[in-house]
């Protein structure tokens, strides 16, 4: 079949396997030529390793100097009569192909990270492939839903402000249009549900499960990703439901740090840069900021994607250092370049002028859209998208 891009609003409904392979290969190529990770972890578990920061972390660790073996958990869909499947599904397949070709262990586990069954399956994989222990646990889940463990009822992430309504713009990637929206404040229940899904609880459950089965190696570290952003984004992010969840995650990092200290290790919330991913384009009001940020950081020569962020995290901050550099709240800051005063001054001047008529000229909308298309395997010049592609070989088996 010929696979064409189908976008509904900010959601990609199709993905191209060849483009996903290209995306994985480009990231591998980047880390092979970047500053290498020294004294890195050998056995890594990534929860949410099929796209965005989790996939980039997996690639950086496997190919960027430390030659790590990896087990990754993700929630993706393969091809079926319902559709071609998700980009993350193909990313998993191609990561495994290239990692194994270089002698790495690369295990993909498909499942719901929040469930006990998935945790049990991972513990078994750690026994089988890692001789029972992990050296690093990365928590990189961005989820819209989570079943309530007691009732089974589905909880949903609500991306909303708290306290007061907030106005902002959404940019539809389907037809490149700008829409002003006003978001009403979240109810207490919506805030709580969002904290349950995007806060620290499940991260802690994972680490507890690994401690219980004695799978934490001496010196084991764990990280989870957060976002803070400049003041202009606070009404929708830091002061909203997602920000409350992230603050919960920061607090969890402290309790996990105490637990892992018993093993000579540590836990860190890692604040990353705002980037186009499957998850971030969902956040109303963030897209104008992203296109202004991309424009300014590219012009300043400081733009990074997920892979650059992750390689810098592991080579400069988390490994090879006597002490891990953290701020006064014990956060690792990978958003240091984003929040640089000169960058933020230019971004905010640009945002002041940006509107529905000029956003494509003033902001880096082309770069934003290209990044989104490439996340889903489209928009690579090297690929002839007019050629039919056979999905037969990619139909999911019971396990891979
Ligand atoms: P993403 O959408 O690219 O990746 C999310 C991952 O979570 C995927 O591997 C997906 O399969 C997995 N996942 C979702 N639900 C799952 C479930 N129930 N069970 C197992 N796996 C599941 O998202 P992105 O942006 O890489 O987000 C990862 C983390 O980074 C999130 O905590 C996010 O808040 C944080 N972050 C993102 C920033 C951004 O601008 N994109 C900035 C700073 C932090």
């Amino acid at each position: 079949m010929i696979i064409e891009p189908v976008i509904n609003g900010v959601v990609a409904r199709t993905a191209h396997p060849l483009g996903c392979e290209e995306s994985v290969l480009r990231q591998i190529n980047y880390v092979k030529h970047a500053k290498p990770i020294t004294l890195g972890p050998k056995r890594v578990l990534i929860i949410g390793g099929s796209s965005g920061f989790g996939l980039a972390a997996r690639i950086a660790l496997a190919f960027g100097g430390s030659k790590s073996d990896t087990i990754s958990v993700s929630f993706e869909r393969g091809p079926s009569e319902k559709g071609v499947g998700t980009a993350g599904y193909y990313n998993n397949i191609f990561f495994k192909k290239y990692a194994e070709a270089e002698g790495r262990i690369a295990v993909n586990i498909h499942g719901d990270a929040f469930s006990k069954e998935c945790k049990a399956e991972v513990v078994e994989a750690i026994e089988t492939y890692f001789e029972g222990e992990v050296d690093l646990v990365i928590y990189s889940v961005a989820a819209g839903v989570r079943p309530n463990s007691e009732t089974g009822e589905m909880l949903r992430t609500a991306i909303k402000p708290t306290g007061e309504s907030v106005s902002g713009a959404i940019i539809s990637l389907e037809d490149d249009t700008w829409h002003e929206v006003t978001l009403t404040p979240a109810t207490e229940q919506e805030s709580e549900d969002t904290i349950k899904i995007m806060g620290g609880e499940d991260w802690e459950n994972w680490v507890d499960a690994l401690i219980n089965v004695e799978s934490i190696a001496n010196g084991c570290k764990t990280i989870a990703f957060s976002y803070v952003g400049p003041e202009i984004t606070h009404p929708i992010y830091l002061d909203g439901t997602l920000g409350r969840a992230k603050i919960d995650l920061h607090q969890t990092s402290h309790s996990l740090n105490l637990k892992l200290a018993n093993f000579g290790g540590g836990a860190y919330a890692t604040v990353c840069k705002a980037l186009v991913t499957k998850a971030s384009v969902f956040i109303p009001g963030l897209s104008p900021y992203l296109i202004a940020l991309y424009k300014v950081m590219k012009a300043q020569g400081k733009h990074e994607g997920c892979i650059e962020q992750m390689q810098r995290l592991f080579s400069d901050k988390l490994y090879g250092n006597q002490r891990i550099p953290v701020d006064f709240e014990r956060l690792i800051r990978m958003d240091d370049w984003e929040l640089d005063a000169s960058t933020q001054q230019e971004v905010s001047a640009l945002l002041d002028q940006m509107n529905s008529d000029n956003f494509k000229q003033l902001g880096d909308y082309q770069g934003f859209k290209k990044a989104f298309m490439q996340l889903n395997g489209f928009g690579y010049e090297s690929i002839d998208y007019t050629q039919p592609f056979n999905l037969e070989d990619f139909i999911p088996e019971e396990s891979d």
Side-chain angles (χ1 to χ4, degrees):
M1 68 187 285
I2 292 173
I3 306 173
E4 306 217 13
V6 178
I7 305 170
N8 291 152
V10 293
V11 181
R13 298 286 177 206
T14 55
H16 203 294
L18 289 179
C20 294
E21 178 171 25
E22 179 68 19
S23 155
V24 168
L25 277 173
R26 284 186 184 203
Q27 293 183 69
I28 293 174
N29 188 46
Y30 171 78
V31 299
K32 283 190 168 178
H33 297 95
K35 181 181 168 190
I37 301 162
T38 50
L39 304 173
K42 285 293 160 218
R43 300 157 299 181
V44 181
L45 167 63
I46 302 136
I47 305 144
S50 60
S51 65
F53 284 107
L55 173 66
R58 192 179 193 193
I59 293 174
L61 290 162
F63 296 96
S66 65
K67 300 190 173 175
S68 312
D69 293 326
T70 57
I71 296 174
S72 160
V73 178
S74 61
F75 199 71
E76 303 289 348
R77 228 181 19 256
S80 67
E81 63 286 350
K82 287 193 192 140
V84 297
T86 53
Y89 176 82
Y90 298 105
N91 293 338
N92 284 339
I93 291 175
F94 291 113
F95 172 86
K96 185 178 171 75
K97 170 178 159 186
Y98 290 105
E100 288 181 346
E102 295 205 12
R104 310 283 122 76
I105 295 169
V107 180
N108 294 328
I109 293 178
H110 296 273
D112 180 6
F114 297 109
S115 71
K116 288 204 174 89
E117 294 75 16
C118 184
K119 292 180 176 83
E121 200 180 333
V122 168
V123 164
E124 213 178 292
I126 291 172
E127 276 301 322
T128 312
Y129 298 101
F130 286 178
E131 293 169 347
E133 285 188 341
V134 282
D135 303 300
L136 172 66
V137 179
I138 301 174
Y139 192 83
S140 186
V141 171
V145 292
R146 166 186 183 167
N148 179 325
S149 52
E150 275 131 45
T151 61
E153 165 213 5
M154 279 297 177
L155 307 177
R156 289 184 192 281
T157 302
I159 307 177
K160 288 189 171 184
T162 52
E164 285 173 26
S165 295
V166 168
S167 298
I170 292 179
I171 302 178
S172 163
L173 287 147
E174 182 177 349
D175 54 8
D176 310 320
T177 50
W178 166 292
H179 304 267
E180 295 291 343
V181 289
T182 299
L183 299 166
T184 51
T187 61
E188 203 40 47
Q189 189 61 50
E190 285 175 322
S191 277
E192 277 172 25
D193 290 355
T194 307
I195 293 171
K196 272 264 183 210
I197 301 170
M198 290 298 288
E201 187 184 82
D202 191 49
W203 181 24
E204 185 150 25
N205 288 346
W206 273 96
V207 175
D208 285 344
L210 296 172
I211 292 174
N212 284 343
V213 294
E214 299 179 355
S215 287
I216 295 289
N218 195 28
C220 176
K221 295 185 177 76
T222 185
I223 56 170
F225 300 123
S226 180
Y227 185 65
V228 170
E231 241 170 68
I232 27 174
T233 63
H234 287 183
I236 184 58
Y237 200 98
L238 196 61
D239 300 338
T241 49
L242 282 177
R244 284 183 63 176
K246 291 304 184 192
I247 287 161
D248 182 74
L249 188 90
H250 300 174
Q251 282 159 356
T252 304
S253 77
H254 304 316
S255 59
L256 289 180
N257 198 45
L258 291 175
K259 291 181 187 177
L260 289 195
N262 296 327
F263 303 85
Y268 302 88
T270 301
V271 186
C272 293
K273 175 195 181 199
L275 278 171
V276 178
T277 64
K278 182 171 157 184
S280 66
V281 292
F282 244 94
I283 304 173
L286 201 70
S287 302
Y289 172 73
L290 276 170
I291 64 174
L293 184 72
Y294 273 41
K295 178 88 167 201
V296 171
M297 289 190 82
K298 283 183 185 173
Q300 294 181 336
K302 294 197 299 197
H303 177 72
E304 295 177 295
C306 290
I307 194 66
E308 288 86 358
Q309 282 258 295
M310 291 299 104
Q311 184 73 11
R312 185 159 70 92
L313 167 65
F314 298 123
S315 61
D316 281 9
K317 309 230 178 188
L318 203 63
Y319 293 102
N321 270 328
Q322 285 271 317
R323 293 184 73 134
I324 295 170
V326 290
D327 71 3
F328 67 101
E329 290 181 275
R330 228 181 49 79
L331 301 168
I332 298 179
R333 302 305 294 252
M334 296 309 299
D335 59 346
D336 42 359
W337 299 356
E338 172 183 358
L339 294 188
D340 181 78
S342 73
T343 303
Q344 283 305 320
Q345 259 165 20
E346 284 190 44
V347 169
S348 111
L350 208 54
L351 278 171
D352 282 345
Q353 300 166 48
M354 210 185 276
N355 58 42
S356 57
D357 296 326
N358 64 17
F359 75 95
K360 288 182 206 153
Q361 288 78 42
L362 290 190
D364 181 25
Y365 182 67
Q366 266 140 7
F368 173 85
K369 176 114 183 206
K370 188 170 182 184
F372 179 79
M373 297 306 282
Q374 292 189 338
L375 285 178
N376 298 295
F378 297 103
Y380 286 107
E381 285 84 21
S382 53
I383 294 171
D384 181 359
Y385 292 100
T386 61
Q387 290 301 310
F389 189 84
N390 186 1
L391 286 171
E392 280 293 289
D393 297 343
F394 292 93
I395 306 238
E397 290 165 20
E398 273 304 293
S399 72
D400 62 353

